[in-house]
Amino acid sequence: MNDNRRIYLAKVKMLIVNFLLLALIVVLAACGSSSVSKTANKSGQPIKDTTVMTQASSHIYLYGEIHAEAKIMDKEFELWSDYYQNEGMRHLFVEHPYYTAEYLNLWMQADNDDILEAIYKDWEGTAAHTPHTKTFFKKIKKECPETIFHGTDVGHQYDSTGIRFLSYLEANDLTESEQYTLTAEAIQQGRLYYSKEDDVYRENKMTENFIREFEKLDGESIMGIYGVAHTGLDGMDYHTQSVPSMANQLQEHYGDNLSSEDLSWVFRDIEPLRVDYITLRGKKYEAAYFGKQDLTGFKDYAYREFWRLEGAYEDLKDLTLTENVLPYNNYPMLIETGQAFEIRYTKVDDTIEIEHHLSTGKVWEGMDSTQQIIVE
């Protein structure tokens, strides 16, 4: 069922000849170095020029998440706490607009949670509007109190959080500040994005905003938390697949000074709900059942269920493979090479379609994927 494919994400070595020549080289290097303002493309196209980091010791640690999953957020806090306590890092980049992060920074200094509660209310209707989100931020405030948030997304909630923060700046005579300029800019980015639902524009602006915020830090290492759609080093934008993902673009600038890890495995690190028995080609196998996924809205399908057939791979590996694949990130559990699966699709009319897949090491469009086999 090929519809499955739609279900799813210098050292610059200088020779010192003499003092005057060294001085000349330094001057020329300073004049010739690229800046963010020169490389950022205002039309929203991917940034192609390479920017060299000012200090080779600084690093960008990106982590890709499935939004609002409690287990993943717990892992993210664990990672940030380690960087904060043991590496001395203080700057946490998040998939929120500039002004939301600035509001969170004000809240970090406040003796109450009024600001957080207001932001949380603005998130109603989004994945961020879950109690665990508030818990996540409160833990950071309590255990990592010097954390500084940096928001690099376009202006979500521009007509609530954005306008309210702009009013706060005006009330405090900060209309000439960088905060005011960048808040107004983020609001405009949000308006443009939502007027056309332009995901290419958003991906490129997220990259541009990230570079701007990172370059301000003059060589400090940071951690960033973003959806997995934005953190693949070889990925393209999730919806159109027409421009490199944010992390892909950032890698062009920062090379080995950037790393990225997909944390969705944390969500899929689960035990089977039960063990059933399934017979294939006359042989009975233990079948670890991992539950069902809602497919409402995908054509005429209602849901699908997953079983891992224990010990079946060797018996099935020589069967005919089809071109139908299912990326690992579509499964509710972790996948290893050399496993066999049964997937049952239940349609809205209660009819059932059954597929059998093997994890052979197949990579489809940059994603590890299982491949369907024909079982007679």
Side-chain angles (χ1 to χ4, degrees):
M1 192 174 81
N2 290 325
D3 288 325
N4 285 339
R5 300 185 182 185
R6 301 191 183 99
I7 307 176
Y8 39 122
L9 17 176
K11 280 184 179 178
V12 177
K13 183 181 292 183
M14 295 186 296
L15 298 176
I16 303 176
V17 179
N18 55 48
F19 176 81
L20 291 177
L21 180 57
L22 175 60
L24 178 60
I25 292 173
V26 171
V27 170
L28 291 175
C31 293
S33 61
S34 61
S35 67
V36 177
S37 61
K38 293 179 182 177
T39 60
N41 191 316
K42 301 306 180 184
S43 64
Q45 296 302 310
I47 302 169
K48 298 180 180 179
D49 295 337
T50 299
T51 301
V52 179
M53 296 185 66
T54 55
Q55 293 187 21
S57 61
S58 59
H59 199 90
I60 297 169
Y61 300 91
L62 293 182
Y63 292 95
E65 68 172 13
I66 299 172
H67 294 316
E69 291 297 339
K71 286 178 64 176
I72 295 179
M73 296 180 77
D74 288 342
K75 180 64 175 179
E76 289 165 346
F77 176 79
E78 177 186 322
L79 288 163
W80 175 240
S81 181
D82 182 59
Y83 285 131
Y84 182 97
Q85 305 292 349
N86 299 318
E87 303 296 331
M89 287 167 51
R90 292 295 182 268
H91 299 276
L92 182 57
F93 282 49
V94 290
E95 192 178 333
H96 291 291
Y98 170 82
Y99 44 76
T100 302
E102 291 299 295
Y103 245 147
L104 288 170
N105 291 332
L106 286 177
W107 165 70
M108 292 288 287
Q109 305 303 317
D111 59 3
N112 57 62
D113 292 329
D114 292 351
I115 293 175
L116 180 62
E117 292 295 338
I119 294 173
Y120 183 72
K121 184 177 181 181
D122 293 342
W123 285 338
E124 188 170 355
T126 74
H129 196 258
T130 65
H132 206 76
T133 302
K134 286 199 293 186
T135 300
F136 172 77
F137 284 110
K138 287 181 178 180
K139 286 169 66 177
I140 289 178
K141 183 173 183 176
K142 179 180 179 181
E143 300 184 33
C144 308
E146 296 178 13
T147 296
I148 300 171
F149 294 101
H150 297 261
T152 61
D153 205 346
V154 298
H156 307 297
Q157 297 85 45
Y158 64 83
D159 56 352
S160 52
T161 311
I163 295 302
R164 192 165 61 251
F165 190 67
L166 209 60
S167 297
Y168 162 82
L169 295 174
E170 291 169 351
N172 287 273
D173 296 323
L174 293 170
T175 56
E176 302 298 320
S177 67
E178 180 186 54
Q179 280 183 305
Y180 193 90
T181 299
L182 293 180
T183 295
E185 183 178 308
I187 289 173
Q188 181 63 12
Q189 288 177 4
R191 286 174 173 155
L192 286 172
Y193 168 67
Y194 283 104
S195 68
K196 299 180 180 180
E197 294 289 333
D198 189 341
D199 292 294
V200 170
Y201 172 83
R202 181 189 174 204
E203 201 73 28
N204 292 331
K205 283 300 179 184
M206 288 177 69
T207 306
E208 184 179 320
N209 295 341
F210 190 108
I211 292 172
R212 180 199 69 220
E213 290 297 303
F214 183 69
E215 294 294 323
K216 290 179 185 178
L217 304 181
D218 194 26
E220 292 192 55
S221 294
I222 68 98
M223 173 177 154
I225 300 172
Y226 295 83
V228 291
H230 307 293
T231 57
L233 297 181
D234 297 317
M236 304 295 286
D237 74 287
Y238 181 74
H239 290 284
T240 73
Q241 296 287 300
S242 60
V243 298
S245 68
M246 179 192 75
N248 195 339
Q249 294 187 47
L250 290 174
Q251 189 177 42
E252 289 297 311
H253 283 254
Y254 302 119
D256 292 341
N257 292 92
L258 179 144
S259 60
S260 180
E261 180 182 350
D262 182 349
L263 293 181
S264 60
W265 66 265
V266 177
F267 176 65
R268 297 196 299 272
D269 187 13
I270 60 173
E271 295 297 321
L273 300 178
R274 65 175 188 261
V275 176
D276 299 327
Y277 290 91
I278 291 176
T279 299
L280 287 182
R281 306 175 81 218
K283 185 173 180 178
K284 182 184 289 187
Y285 298 97
E286 284 191 357
Y289 177 70
F290 288 92
K292 65 174 63 176
Q293 287 180 343
D294 183 21
L295 296 182
T296 301
F298 179 72
K299 293 192 172 181
D300 53 351
Y301 292 93
Y303 60 88
R304 62 184 174 187
E305 299 174 278
F306 296 84
W307 285 263
R308 184 179 64 216
L309 307 180
E310 309 295 5
Y313 182 85
E314 289 298 319
D315 296 334
L316 305 176
K317 67 179 182 180
D318 295 325
L319 296 181
T320 301
L321 291 164
T322 75
E323 291 302 309
N324 185 35
V325 299
L326 189 64
Y328 286 7
N329 60 17
N330 279 244
Y331 287 80
M333 68 288 201
L334 296 177
I335 307 293
E336 297 178 359
T337 301
Q339 295 176 326
F341 307 92
E342 178 167 302
I343 309 169
R344 298 180 192 174
Y345 290 84
T346 299
K347 294 190 170 185
V348 293
D349 62 0
D350 290 329
T351 58
I352 296 175
E353 294 179 355
I354 299 178
E355 292 184 0
H356 296 94
H357 284 243
L358 299 180
S359 51
T360 62
K362 172 78 173 181
V363 177
W364 175 76
E365 294 194 359
M367 295 180 288
D368 292 328
S369 304
T370 61
Q371 195 166 4
Q372 186 182 3
I373 55 173
I374 302 299
V375 178
E376 300 296 344

